[in-house]
């Protein structure tokens, strides 16, 4: 009898503790859950819902279900925009990774204090307004800008080069803006690598080039994958640089979406483009994880 009472008492204590734990978890997770639902899930759901609606007169939205918005994306003009976006994102990512990987290697070989200072210097563009950075690039690349002036004084050119308002200027701006996003994950991956493996490879007779391609590159591939994702995805929709440095000649998906919501007042089509852009991003992340990348590296 006494054992049953103790058992019942223990059961009540466990139930009470479980209720307290559940309440505590609800209090801790409640705010972030509400935030996620209100500002992530609902906006995305609204965007998907809007993409199936019809544009009415004067930009009004008519609640008539249609697939015409998605069919319109296959218009040759819009297909070219997608192609140009992917092409600029590809070249930006390639150049950024090729320039960023040696820089990450150099930083990893520095003393801890020095590497910290250099890392802060690399992160400086993230602390400055993108608008200010873009205007500074306009000043540097225009016909009377810094680059052309230096080249002409050195006698390398006789007349200013057309460095601004083209795809070249857009790629330069993208590379500058997204270099920190490529360098930091690659530096983190290189720093975590065991240097003893490189020494073992050299002791076994491997040349420095073979050690790099057979040992170091595979071991640091998660950082490279993360750099590719963190560079490629923002490039597709980063419309501000394309507008200011491309002079309207380079149209990215982000520019097209922005104009549909502002100039054309065609919100359903803009929503459909946004959904397609989100799908491209999800596909890229899926490929990244399939190739062995970790979502923790993206954080």
């Amino acid at each position: 009898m006494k054992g049953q009472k103790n058992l019942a008492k223990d059961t009540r204590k466990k139930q009470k503790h479980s209720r307290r734990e559940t309440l505590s978890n609800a209090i801790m997770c409640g705010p972030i859950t509400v935030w996620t639902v209100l500002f992530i899930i609902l906006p995305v759901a609204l965007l998907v819902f809007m993409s199936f609606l019809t544009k009415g007169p004067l930009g009004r939205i008519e609640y008539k279900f249609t697939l015409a918005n998605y069919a319109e994306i296959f218009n040759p003009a819009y297909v070219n925009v997608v192609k140009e976006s992917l092409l600029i994102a590809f070249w930006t990512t390639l150049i950024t990774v090729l320039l960023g990987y040696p820089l990450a290697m150099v930083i990893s070989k520095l003393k801890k204090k020095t590497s910290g200072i250099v890392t802060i210097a690399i992160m400086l563009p993230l602390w400055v307004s993108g608008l200010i950075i873009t205007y500074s690039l306009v000043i540097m690349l225009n016909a009377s800008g810094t680059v052309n002036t230096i080249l002409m004084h050195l006698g390398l050119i006789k007349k200013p080069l057309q460095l601004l308002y083209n795809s070249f200027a857009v790629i330069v701006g993208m590379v500058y803006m997204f270099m920190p996003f490529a360098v930091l994950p690659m530096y983190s991956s290189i720093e975590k690598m065991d240097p003893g493996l490189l020494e073992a490879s050299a002791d076994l007779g491997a040349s420095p080039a073979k050690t790099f391609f057979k040992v170091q590159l595979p071991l640091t591939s998660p950082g490279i994958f993360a750099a590719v994702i963190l560079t490629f995805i923002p490039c597709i929709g980063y419309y501000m640089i394309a507008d200011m440095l491309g002079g309207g000649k380079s149209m990215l998906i982000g520019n097209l979406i922005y104009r549909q919501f502002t100039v054309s007042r065609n919100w359903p089509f803009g929503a459909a483009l946004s959904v397609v852009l989100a799908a491209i991003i999800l596909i890229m992340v899926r490929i990244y994880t399939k190739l062995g990348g970790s979502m923790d590296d993206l954080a």
Side-chain angles (χ1 to χ4, degrees), residues 55-76:
K55 176 190 175 184
L58 302 176
R60 288 182 298 179
I61 299 175
E62 295 182 354
Y63 293 89
K64 296 178 182 178
F65 181 84
T66 180
L67 294 174
N69 298 315
Y70 288 96
E72 184 68 15
I73 296 175
F74 294 97
N75 184 307

Side-chain angles (χ1 to χ4, degrees), residues 207-218:
S207 64
K210 192 171 184 179
T211 299
F212 175 77
F213 286 106
K214 294 290 186 179
V215 180
Q216 180 170 332
L217 206 59

Side-chain angles (χ1 to χ4, degrees), residues 137-172:
L137 289 173
V138 170
I139 295 172
M140 290 178 62
L141 298 176
N142 64 28
S144 59
T146 309
V147 176
N148 276 312
T149 301
I150 292 174
L151 292 177
M152 291 180 72
H153 278 135
L154 292 175
L156 298 177
I157 58 174
K158 293 182 179 180
K159 61 179 183 179
L161 300 175
Q162 184 60 39
L163 302 176
L164 198 59
Y165 305 134
N166 50 36
S167 297
F168 169 78
V170 174
I171 292 175
V172 169

Side-chain angles (χ1 to χ4, degrees), residues 236-255:
I236 300 176
Y238 204 74
Y239 66 89
M240 184 177 69
I241 288 180
D243 267 348
M244 297 182 65
L245 299 182
K249 297 178 182 178
S250 296
M251 176 76 71
L252 304 183
I253 298 178
N255 301 88

Side-chain angles (χ1 to χ4, degrees), residues 22 89 94 228:
T22 302
L94 181 63
V228 169

Side-chain angles (χ1 to χ4, degrees), residues 34-231:
V34 172
W35 179 275
T36 302
V37 171
L38 289 179
F39 298 105
I40 298 179
I41 296 177
L42 284 181
V44 171
L46 180 61
L47 201 66
V48 174
F49 174 71
M50 189 187 300
S51 68
F52 292 103
L53 301 181
T54 305
K55 176 190 175 184
L58 302 176
R60 288 182 298 179
I61 299 175
E62 295 182 354
Y63 293 89
K64 296 178 182 178
F65 181 84
T66 180
L67 294 174
N69 298 315
Y70 288 96
E72 184 68 15
I73 296 175
F74 294 97
N75 184 307
Y78 299 135
V79 171
N80 288 334
V81 171
V82 175
K83 287 181 180 178
E84 185 173 4
S85 299
L86 295 176
L87 190 61
I88 289 178
F90 168 77
W91 282 112
T92 300
T93 303
L94 181 63
I95 295 170
T96 304
V97 171
L98 289 179
L99 293 178
Y101 194 89
L103 179 57
M105 287 180 60
V106 170
I107 297 173
S108 67
K109 296 181 184 299
L110 297 175
K111 294 181 180 179
K112 196 162 187 180
K113 186 176 180 180
T114 308
S115 65
I117 295 173
V118 175
T119 303
I120 293 174
I122 292 174
M123 294 174 63
L124 282 177
L126 302 179
W127 302 347
V128 181
S129 169
L131 192 62
I132 295 174
I133 292 174
T134 308
Y135 270 121
S136 66
L137 289 173
V138 170
I139 295 172
M140 290 178 62
L141 298 176
N142 64 28
S144 59
T146 309
V147 176
N148 276 312
T149 301
I150 292 174
L151 292 177
M152 291 180 72
H153 278 135
L154 292 175
L156 298 177
I157 58 174
K158 293 182 179 180
K159 61 179 183 179
L161 300 175
Q162 184 60 39
L163 302 176
L164 198 59
Y165 305 134
N166 50 36
S167 297
F168 169 78
V170 174
I171 292 175
V172 169
M174 293 283 193
V175 169
Y176 182 82
M177 289 292 293
F178 296 112
M179 182 64 75
F181 294 97
V183 172
L184 294 178
M186 290 191 291
Y187 163 66
S188 176
S189 185
I190 293 172
E191 192 181 33
K192 293 176 183 176
M193 182 180 59
D194 184 3
L197 297 174
L198 303 181
E199 295 174 3
S201 176
D203 291 341
L204 292 172
S207 64
K210 192 171 184 179
T211 299
F212 175 77
F213 286 106
K214 294 290 186 179
V215 180
Q216 180 170 332
L217 206 59
L219 289 175
T220 58
S221 59
I224 298 174
F225 290 153
V228 169
I229 292 297
L230 291 174
T231 305

Side-chain angles (χ1 to χ4, degrees), residues 228-229 232-233 279-289:
V228 169
I229 292 297
F232 188 90
I233 289 177
I280 293 174
I281 292 172
L282 290 175
I283 291 171
M284 287 295 301
V285 173
R286 183 63 177 171
I287 293 173
Y288 164 71
T289 55

